[in-house]
Each structure stands twice: as C-alpha cells, then as structure tokens.
Amino acid sequence: GTTVCSAGQFSPANQVGGDFKNCGTVSSVNVANVFFRQSGSPDRFTLLNSNVADYVAIPGDSGAPVWRLAYESGSGFEAVAVGHHTGGPTGGEIFNDIDRVEDALNVDIVHF
C-alpha cells in the first residue's frame, strides 16, 4: 500500500506538459516475475524478490529511479530511493529494491 513514484525517460509524465513523475501504489512485494527476452521468444528468465506497483511506465523506462516521499522535520518532504524500475505490463510495473541496486554497484546510498 505504500505510494512510490518513478520518472522514466519515456514515461507519459515526462512528455511535453507532464509533471516528470508517475506515482502509484505498491501491490505486491518479494514476488517472482517471469520476463521474456523479446516478444515471441521462448527464452525467459525469472526475477526473484521484486515488487509490483501501479505507476505508469513504457518500454525504455527500465532503470529509472523509484522513490517514496518521506517527511523530515525542519526540511519538509524529501524523496527516499527505494529501487529502480525493471519492467512489466502497464499497471503492474516491476521494480527492484534499492539494496539490490547497491549490491550490484557495490555502493551504499545514504539519506541525509
């Protein structure tokens, strides 16, 4: 039920007149999602421990940041990174947790 936002390069909100973000509600966490390498291909792979939300993204938005807003006393609302967009059908967007991103890049993302 957490609200998260994403801002992919090609997502509808980033087109002319958009507000540069898409927000939606997380509907599932820590699920396995099966992806096909390309349309019509029998080759597929399973992405474990991913999350599903209903923000809007389109092909080409993969890798976009996913965040939630948090209220910090004295500074107001701030974006807190929670993951990155991976793919999925519209209305069932898939994103990975930020810890998987940190592990892949061998970094720690720090929130001040």
Side-chain angles (χ1 to χ4, degrees):
T2 301
T3 297
V4 294
C5 301
S6 182
Q9 177 180 356
F10 300 108
S11 61
N14 281 347
Q15 304 308 309
V16 175
D19 62 4
F20 297 97
K21 70 177 186 228
N22 288 307
C23 296
T25 303
V26 176
S27 58
S28 299
V29 296
N30 297 322
V31 296
N33 287 282
V34 176
F35 288 88
F36 290 90
R37 294 218 181 266
Q38 62 187 26
S39 181
S41 170
D43 297 333
R44 62 181 183 226
F45 60 95
T46 302
L47 181 62
L48 301 173
N49 304 314
S50 56
N51 307 294
V52 181
D54 62 0
Y55 59 83
V56 177
I58 61 175
D61 286 347
S62 295
V66 177
W67 70 91
R68 67 176 174 79
L69 292 178
Y71 184 79
E72 298 293 332
S73 180
S75 60
F77 284 98
E78 297 179 354
V80 176
V82 296
H84 76 94
H85 174 72
T86 306
T90 300
E93 307 299 348
I94 312 289
F95 69 96
N96 285 327
D97 285 330
I98 196 68
D99 59 341
R100 295 183 79 188
V101 176
E102 291 173 323
D103 290 347
L105 297 175
N106 195 28
V107 299
D108 290 318
I109 297 173
V110 180
H111 173 72
F112 294 97

